Amino acid sequence: MLFQLSLNFFFVLPIANAAGFHVVTAPVVHPAAEALFNIVMGWTLLFGPIIFSDARNNRFKGSLEALWAGQWFLTNAFLIPYMAIRLNEQVPTKSQSPSKFCQAALSAAKPIALVGGIVGALSIAWGLGGRPDAGFGNIVDRWNYFLHYIGTDRVAYAFLWDVFLYSIFQVWLVQSNLKKVEGLRMRKMVSLLSYVPYVGSVAYLWGLASEIPEMTMSQENLPEESK
């Protein structure tokens, strides 16, 4: 099923088919499974710029781009060592300039937040009412399938674990970087929404200050003489 879910990434094929484009036909998968898959993928999209804006990412000596890629293609368990390493209080003595890729992702924080928000909302709507003519039943039927799916399918269990980890790491990272959010009112709202899974990530990226590429990645928490 994972391959079929991947073909329906961000619902591109189902939407294209519904619009009359049938170059590739979207596989018919239960909407609840598609919803869970795309919520995890949407959250992974959002987490790239969140990590790139983290004031403590200079503790991590590896590639932040590779860290993000690992989340896309494997699992967000890749974040567990990162979250541990960022707790290191030993501050690097030299600053490290962000890569062009990281700068580009941070510059596109608002578009990424918009795409992530749309994918998240569409996933919930799709899970509740997608493919109405395919015999997947009403909301109760879909909920019952979802409970069975996460309880019996290893891939679904892995996705559920991703959701659990993202929910924890979202609060941790957003609360640690609230000063990167532009405006006191927006900062307060993001602080509250950080406790709402997925929504907090969207809100944080939407509120990031426009000058974030210049103020992030090892420019913060450095000794005064190294700034």
Side-chain angles (χ1 to χ4, degrees):
M1 182 186 288
L2 182 58
F3 176 72
Q4 294 174 313
L5 289 171
S6 300
L7 289 177
N8 291 347
F9 176 80
F10 282 8
F11 306 104
V12 173
L13 276 183
I15 293 174
N17 290 172
F21 299 97
H22 293 277
V23 178
V24 178
T25 301
V28 177
V29 184
H30 198 289
E34 291 177 302
L36 179 60
F37 171 78
N38 280 291
I39 282 176
V40 172
M41 292 298 100
W43 219 340
T44 301
L45 172 70
L46 296 168
F47 248 75
I50 291 176
I51 294 170
F52 300 157
S53 71
D54 183 20
R56 285 177 166 259
N57 62 22
N58 53 353
R59 275 79 169 170
F60 184 70
K61 300 304 181 183
S63 166
L64 293 174
E65 295 91 329
L67 181 68
W68 194 24
Q71 296 172 60
W72 278 108
F73 298 107
L74 295 172
T75 171
N76 68 9
F78 271 73
L79 282 175
I80 295 176
Y82 171 81
M83 297 302 291
I85 291 170
R86 71 182 297 280
L87 294 177
N88 188 355
E89 293 301 332
Q90 184 177 357
V91 182
T93 56
K94 294 183 180 180
S95 65
Q96 178 181 347
S97 299
S99 69
K100 291 183 178 180
F101 181 86
C102 292
Q103 291 184 29
L106 287 168
S107 297
K110 277 187 171 60
I112 290 174
L114 181 60
V115 172
I118 291 173
V119 169
L122 182 58
S123 295
I124 294 174
W126 189 268
L128 295 175
R131 306 190 189 281
D133 301 324
F136 292 116
N138 56 28
I139 293 177
V140 175
D141 295 327
R142 291 163 186 253
W143 176 248
N144 289 334
Y145 171 85
F146 178 76
L147 294 178
H148 175 75
Y149 176 55
I150 62 176
T152 59
D153 190 286
R154 291 184 179 180
V155 173
Y157 180 80
F159 289 151
L160 201 64
W161 179 247
D162 285 339
V163 169
F164 174 72
L165 289 179
Y166 274 145
S167 298
I168 295 174
F169 295 158
Q170 171 185 289
V171 178
W172 196 344
L173 290 171
V174 171
Q175 288 293 329
S176 296
N177 292 283
L178 281 175
K179 58 186 174 182
K180 304 285 185 73
V181 176
E182 193 169 24
L184 181 59
R185 181 177 297 180
M186 185 66 181
R187 198 171 299 148
K188 289 181 178 179
M189 184 178 72
V190 170
S191 179
L192 291 174
L193 291 177
S194 69
Y195 296 98
V196 182
Y198 200 99
V199 176
S201 296
V202 175
Y204 173 75
L205 291 187
W206 187 263
L208 273 181
S210 57
E211 69 272 15
I212 192 70
E214 285 74 33
M215 64 184 286
T216 190
M217 295 185 67
S218 62
Q219 293 300 316
E220 306 214 4
N221 298 329
L222 286 172
E224 288 299 323
E225 63 270 16
S226 66
K227 288 187 178 180

